[in-house]
């Protein structure tokens, strides 16, 4: 395992609201987390809330301001930066006073933390002297306030009836909001490559390295395979932009939007990164150097580092340790389990209860997202109930006020949202005009009613938890946990969850939880079955794609067989879990019949 300074886990972005102020709760304890900067309205409401709480002056940034989106994001991030640094400074001074905050910090760290080991070696058993305080000031790591942008949420915007230049598009404005902030952290770019957005990075000095290789604002790419990482990394390196971290996420065993790979599984993907990590770094650095020289920018003296992290479905200390150890990772993302930790995430009481009671059948790979991308959804959430209630009262669809997910041009020239009242009216009229058989009509209506207003639903819990008026958006909550949440059945304190991660306690009471690799493979098999069942008059391209999917799954089985034969004895439980399931899953995959062309 690599040397870990502080913690070996991070809290990924969840929805637009669930981690909106997580850094203010955990960064001073050395825990890194990610804020979504999609919903500028939510960020503005949260800024107002924190300003009132801290008796700070607040001046609203209204939509009358041309660049209001970027300005709101910058202002909120600067406030988070101020809040976190203040709490961190208080923690460091507490060593001379009560010591409680500092001792909490130290207690949360894993025993293999370099900071914890060094502090104990230097000062354990001694009174906390001036020397100890000076050491802490210089060595305690602060958790990062990272941000996330979904690259494809980049709609055009208008001001006083006139279409604005591309830099005012949603994702561009969010990027600028982060770039202009005081943060020294990372921007996580997810949901695939947006060349126009990536090129916009070139305009901000903070994304370039200095002569020592320090980058004020780093780029993290969330990827689902090595090929994607290489392509995107090269594209950015040619712009003089370095990718400081590749964050590998399971395509299906994750929360939020799910991007199913072509049957490529997490283990083989991480293995490919492990084998090619140094080559990837040297290849990208060579391209970067040439680009920086061509731009007349400073070239770092030494080759820059690339971190490799992973997330999606990790749920036990054994899985955490194995991934860190075998694949030489820098950190593991723990997302969905933290939805059950009120100290870290904004989840309302009703939704918390649903999460506690959720079983596998309640956590579905749905069609709820207006983007047309599959979406991990919790059945019975209050936002989905509202959708059905409105339909029953002949008020189908949601008022589209935030407009972050405008993507459909089926009936209109300008994109609209498939969860909106406008789209529902047009779609229902279109379906009625086709005189479809009742069964087919009902199926189409059912698919339509799956679409939900995620713009409002994914921020609603934060409004409810923080006592912000929900009049404009309603109080229906959408929530997007991954399948792994089924095995966590109660709320937990922050310390309990961290102790679970580091094998100091166990929060999973069920004895039937599958290993994360086996669970992911099961999810992919179910997905392939669904794709096969839905085939009607398939084209050659579809058949070829499904055959490739099946082949990649079988290759994954072979990889895990070889892996389990060579596992370290300390991972005996994991070895047994993997070995006992592989033969059965292999047979199940082999029996999947993919139609041939007629």
């Amino acid at each position: 395992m690599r040397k870990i300074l502080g913690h070996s886990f991070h809290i990924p972005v969840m929805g637009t609201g669930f981690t909106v102020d997580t850094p203010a709760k955990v960064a001073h304890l050395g825990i890194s987390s990610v804020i979504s900067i999609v919903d500028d309205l939510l960020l503005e409401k949260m800024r107002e809330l924190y300003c009132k709480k801290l008796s700070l002056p607040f001046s609203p940034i209204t939509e009358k301001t041309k660049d209001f989106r970027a300005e709101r994001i910058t202002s909120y991030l600067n406030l988070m930066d101020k809040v976190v640094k203040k709490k961190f400074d208080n923690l460091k001074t507490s060593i001379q006073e009560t010591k409680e905050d500092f001792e909490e910090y130290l207690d949360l760290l894993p025993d293999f933390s370099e900071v914890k080991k060094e502090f104990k070696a230097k000062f354990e058993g001694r009174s906390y002297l001036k020397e100890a305080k000076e050491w802490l000031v210089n060595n305690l790591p602060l958790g990062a306030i990272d941000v996330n942008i979904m690259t494809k949420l980049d709609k055009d915007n208008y001001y006083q009836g006139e279409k604005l230049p591309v830099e005012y598009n949603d994702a561009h404005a969010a990027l600028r909001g982060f770039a202009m902030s005081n943060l020294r952290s990372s921007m996580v770019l997810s949901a695939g490559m947006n060349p126009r957005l990536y090129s916009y990075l070139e305009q901000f000095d903070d994304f370039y390295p200095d002569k020592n290789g320090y980058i004020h604002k780093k780029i993290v790419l969330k990827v689902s395979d090595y090929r994607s990482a290489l392509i995107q990394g090269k594209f950015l390196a040619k712009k003089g932009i370095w990718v400081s971290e590749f964050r590998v996420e399971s395509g299906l065993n994750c929360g939020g939007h799910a991007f199913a790979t072509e049957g490529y599984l997490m283990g083989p993907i991480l293995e490919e990164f492990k084998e090619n990590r140094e080559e990837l770094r040297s290849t990208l650095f060579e391209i970067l150097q040439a680009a920086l020289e061509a731009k007349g920018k400073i070239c770092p003296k030494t080759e820059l580092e690339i971190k490799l992290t992973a997330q999606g479905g990790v749920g036990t200390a054994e899985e955490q340790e194995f991934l860190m150890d075998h694949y030489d990772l820098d950190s593991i993302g723990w997302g969905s389990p933290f939805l059950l930790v009120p100290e870290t995430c904004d989840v309302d009481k009703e939704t918390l209860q649903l999460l506690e009671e959720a079983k596998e059948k309640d956590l579905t790979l749905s069609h709820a997202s207006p983007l047309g991308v599959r979406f991990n959804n919790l059945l019975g959430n209050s936002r989905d109930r509202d959708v059905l209630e409105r339909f029953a009262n002949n008020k189908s669809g949601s008022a589209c006020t935030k407009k972050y997910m405008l993507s459909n041009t089926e009936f209109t020239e300008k994109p609209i949202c498939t969860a909106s009242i406008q789209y529902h009216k047009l779609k229902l009229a279109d379906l009625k005009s086709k005189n479809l058989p009742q069964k087919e009509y009902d199926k189409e209506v059912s698919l339509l009613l799956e679409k939900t207003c995620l713009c409002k639903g994914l921020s609603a819990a934060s409004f409810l938890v923080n006592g912000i008026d929900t009049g404009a958006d309603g109080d229906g909550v959408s929530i997007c946990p991954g399948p792994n949440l089924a095995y966590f059945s109660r709320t937990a304190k922050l310390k309990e969850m961290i102790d679970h991660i580091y094998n100091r306690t166990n929060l999973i009471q069920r004895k039937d939880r599958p290993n994360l690799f086996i669970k992911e493979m099961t999810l992919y098999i179910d997905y392939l079955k669904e794709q096969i069942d839905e085939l009607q008059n398939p084209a050659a391209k579809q058949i070829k794609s499904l055959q490739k999917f099946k082949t990649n799954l079988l290759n994954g089985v072979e990889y895990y067989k070889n892996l389990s034969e060579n596992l370290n004895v300390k991972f005996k439980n994991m070895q047994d879990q993997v070995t006992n399931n592989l033969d059965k899953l292999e047979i199940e995959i082999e029996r999947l019949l993919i139609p041939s062309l007629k």
Side-chain angles (χ1 to χ4, degrees):
M1 187 193 291
R2 289 175 170 251
K3 286 187 176 182
I4 303 297
L5 187 63
H7 286 287
S8 61
F9 77 94
H10 59 271
I11 302 175
V13 68
M14 286 184 276
T16 53
F18 304 114
T19 56
V20 66
D21 60 342
T22 297
K25 301 168 182 176
V26 302
H28 66 291
L29 297 171
I31 301 167
S32 297
S33 59
V34 187
I35 298 171
S36 168
I37 52 174
V38 166
D39 191 341
D40 60 275
L41 178 61
L42 171 63
L43 301 186
E44 180 72 351
K45 294 285 187 183
M46 291 297 292
R47 185 170 71 90
E48 181 179 10
L49 177 85
Y50 267 87
C51 284
K52 286 181 179 177
K53 192 185 295 186
L54 301 172
S55 301
L56 297 172
F58 173 77
S59 179
I61 301 168
T62 71
E63 294 184 13
K64 293 178 182 178
T65 305
K66 188 175 181 180
D67 201 22
F68 71 89
R69 178 170 170 78
E71 290 183 20
R72 283 174 172 177
I73 291 167
T74 300
S75 296
Y76 181 71
L77 295 179
N78 285 346
L79 177 62
M80 283 291 103
D81 187 51
K82 185 183 293 186
V83 169
V84 166
K85 285 176 177 173
K86 177 68 174 173
K87 293 182 79 170
F88 194 50
D89 287 343
N90 290 343
L91 183 147
K92 286 186 287 189
T93 57
S94 72
I95 193 167
Q96 290 183 328
E97 299 164 5
T98 65
K99 304 190 182 107
E100 289 179 4
D101 289 343
F102 167 70
E103 287 174 352
E104 178 191 10
Y105 183 110
L106 207 64
D107 191 40
L108 293 177
L109 289 174
D111 289 339
F112 55 76
S113 158
E114 294 298 314
V115 166
K116 190 171 188 176
K117 288 193 294 185
E118 190 173 345
F119 183 83
K120 285 191 171 184
K122 285 178 177 290
F123 304 109
E124 193 168 46
R126 297 168 55 190
S127 60
Y128 293 147
L129 306 172
K130 180 183 178 183
E131 182 187 355
K133 182 177 184 295
E134 289 175 354
W135 186 91
L136 287 170
V137 169
N138 294 323
N139 290 278
L140 270 194
L142 176 64
I145 308 172
D146 293 333
V147 304
N148 173 254
I149 293 177
M150 278 188 74
T151 58
K152 301 299 173 64
L153 294 184
D154 198 26
K155 70 169 174 61
D156 297 332
N157 283 310
Y158 294 78
Y159 183 69
Q160 296 179 349
E162 294 290 326
K163 184 178 175 180
L164 291 168
V166 66
E167 57 263 31
Y168 290 92
N169 285 14
D170 277 359
H172 282 69
L175 187 158
R176 183 168 61 259
F178 172 65
M180 301 306 291
S181 74
N182 298 330
L183 291 182
R184 297 290 179 262
S185 60
S186 301
M187 179 166 61
V188 183
L189 297 171
S190 62
M193 188 161 80
N194 179 339
R196 192 166 60 175
L197 182 70
Y198 283 15
S199 298
Y200 189 49
L201 290 165
E202 294 179 84
Q203 297 191 24
F204 302 96
D205 289 340
D206 274 5
F207 293 113
Y208 292 100
D210 65 17
K211 65 180 180 181
N212 298 314
Y214 179 74
I215 304 172
H216 285 153
K217 291 182 170 65
K218 299 180 178 67
I219 295 298
V220 175
L221 291 186
K222 191 190 289 187
V223 294
S224 54
D225 59 67
Y226 180 78
R227 180 175 173 272
S228 171
L230 182 60
I231 291 171
Q232 294 186 71
K234 282 183 175 180
F235 184 93
L236 287 165
K238 288 175 184 176
K239 306 286 182 185
I241 303 297
W242 183 250
V243 178
S244 297
E245 175 187 330
F246 289 103
R247 187 162 288 187
V248 182
E249 183 172 70
S250 170
L252 294 180
N253 197 15
C254 60
H257 286 92
F259 299 88
T261 59
E262 296 177 308
Y264 292 113
L265 300 172
M266 196 168 191
I269 291 168
L270 289 173
E271 192 72 44
E272 189 173 8
F273 271 98
K274 177 184 175 181
E275 291 173 357
N276 296 287
R277 186 170 182 172
E278 289 309 310
E279 183 183 345
L280 175 67
R281 183 173 73 162
S282 60
T283 298
L284 296 184
F285 189 71
E286 187 177 330
I287 297 171
L288 180 85
Q289 279 184 308
L292 291 174
E293 286 173 9
K295 286 173 175 283
K297 294 276 188 182
I298 295 170
C299 290
K301 296 176 182 177
T302 56
E303 202 168 281
L304 300 177
E305 290 293 321
I306 289 179
K307 286 187 176 181
L308 180 61
T309 62
Q311 58 196 42
V314 183
T316 68
E318 184 182 40
E319 290 171 355
Q320 164 87 11
E321 185 181 358
F322 172 77
L323 291 174
M324 293 289 294
D325 186 51
H326 185 79
Y327 298 110
D328 202 19
L329 301 181
D330 294 280
S331 180
I332 303 291
W334 283 67
S336 299
F338 273 97
L339 290 172
L340 287 167
V341 182
E343 288 170 75
T344 63
C345 295
D346 286 352
V347 182
D348 60 289
K349 288 182 180 179
E350 180 186 347
T351 305
L352 264 178
Q353 186 174 344
L354 287 174
L355 292 174
E356 287 179 310
E357 297 169 356
K359 302 294 185 286
E360 288 92 338
K361 64 180 176 57
D362 302 309
L363 301 163
T364 65
L365 185 63
S366 75
H367 295 275
S369 173
L371 297 176
V373 177
R374 301 301 288 274
F375 184 77
N376 282 296
N377 198 26
L378 174 65
L379 288 180
N381 68 71
S382 53
R383 178 66 62 171
D384 287 355
R385 294 202 307 268
D386 288 350
V387 170
L388 297 176
E389 186 178 321
R390 286 182 62 82
F391 180 74
N393 292 323
N394 296 314
K395 296 178 180 178
S396 193
S398 301
C400 190
T401 55
K402 292 188 173 180
K403 304 183 186 298
Y404 301 131
M405 295 190 177
L406 306 184
S407 61
N408 185 280
T409 54
E410 186 180 351
F411 304 111
T412 57
E413 186 177 339
K414 285 184 181 179
I416 60 175
C417 177
T418 54
S420 67
I421 293 170
Q422 182 184 7
Y423 180 81
H424 275 232
K425 282 182 179 178
L426 293 167
K427 186 66 175 179
L428 288 170
D430 179 62
L431 291 174
K432 287 173 183 175
S433 72
K434 292 179 177 177
N435 294 315
L436 298 170
Q438 190 63 44
K439 187 175 180 181
E440 191 176 338
Y441 175 82
D442 290 344
K443 181 183 177 182
E444 290 291 332
V445 171
S446 180
L447 281 172
L448 176 66
L449 293 179
E450 265 202 77
K451 304 299 180 191
T452 191
C453 179
L454 296 181
C455 293
K456 297 175 181 176
L458 291 176
S459 64
S462 191
F463 278 63
L464 293 169
V465 168
N466 292 292
I468 301 171
D469 181 29
T470 59
D473 292 346
D475 54 11
V477 174
S478 300
I479 194 162
C480 48
N484 192 35
L485 189 87
Y487 309 103
F488 292 83
S489 55
R490 68 171 178 86
T491 57
K493 293 186 179 298
L494 175 62
K495 186 180 187 314
E496 286 182 296
M497 187 58 72
I498 294 176
D499 284 348
H500 174 81
I501 292 170
Y502 296 136
N503 202 27
R504 299 187 292 232
T505 192
N506 179 26
L507 293 178
I508 298 177
Q509 300 304 311
R510 290 176 58 172
K511 304 300 182 185
D512 61 344
R513 180 187 179 275
N515 169 265
L516 86 155
F517 292 144
I518 296 300
K519 179 66 176 181
E520 184 192 46
M521 189 179 293
T522 303
L523 293 168
Y524 270 90
I525 292 170
D526 290 343
Y527 182 82
L528 180 55
K529 286 178 183 176
E530 178 192 282
Q531 299 304 301
I532 294 171
D533 290 344
E534 289 180 356
L535 280 179
Q536 292 181 357
N537 303 316
K541 186 177 179 181
Q542 286 177 290
I543 291 173
K544 186 178 179 182
S545 175
L546 293 179
Q547 287 170 337
K548 182 179 181 182
F549 198 110
K550 179 177 176 179
T551 299
N552 288 336
L553 285 182
L554 289 171
N555 290 340
V557 170
E558 203 58 38
Y559 169 82
Y560 288 129
K561 282 183 178 180
N562 293 330
L563 179 69
S564 62
E565 288 173 5
N566 297 291
L567 278 182
N568 188 303
V569 67
K570 67 179 177 180
F571 300 116
K572 180 71 167 59
N573 179 59
M574 183 172 172
Q575 184 181 43
D576 292 342
Q577 273 198 314
V578 172
T579 305
N580 293 341
N581 285 279
L582 279 176
D583 288 341
K584 182 182 73 172
L585 292 176
E586 184 175 29
I587 293 169
E588 190 174 354
I589 297 166
E590 291 279 15
R591 287 177 176 172
L592 291 174
L593 297 177
I594 297 171
S596 56
L597 280 174
K598 295 180 181 178

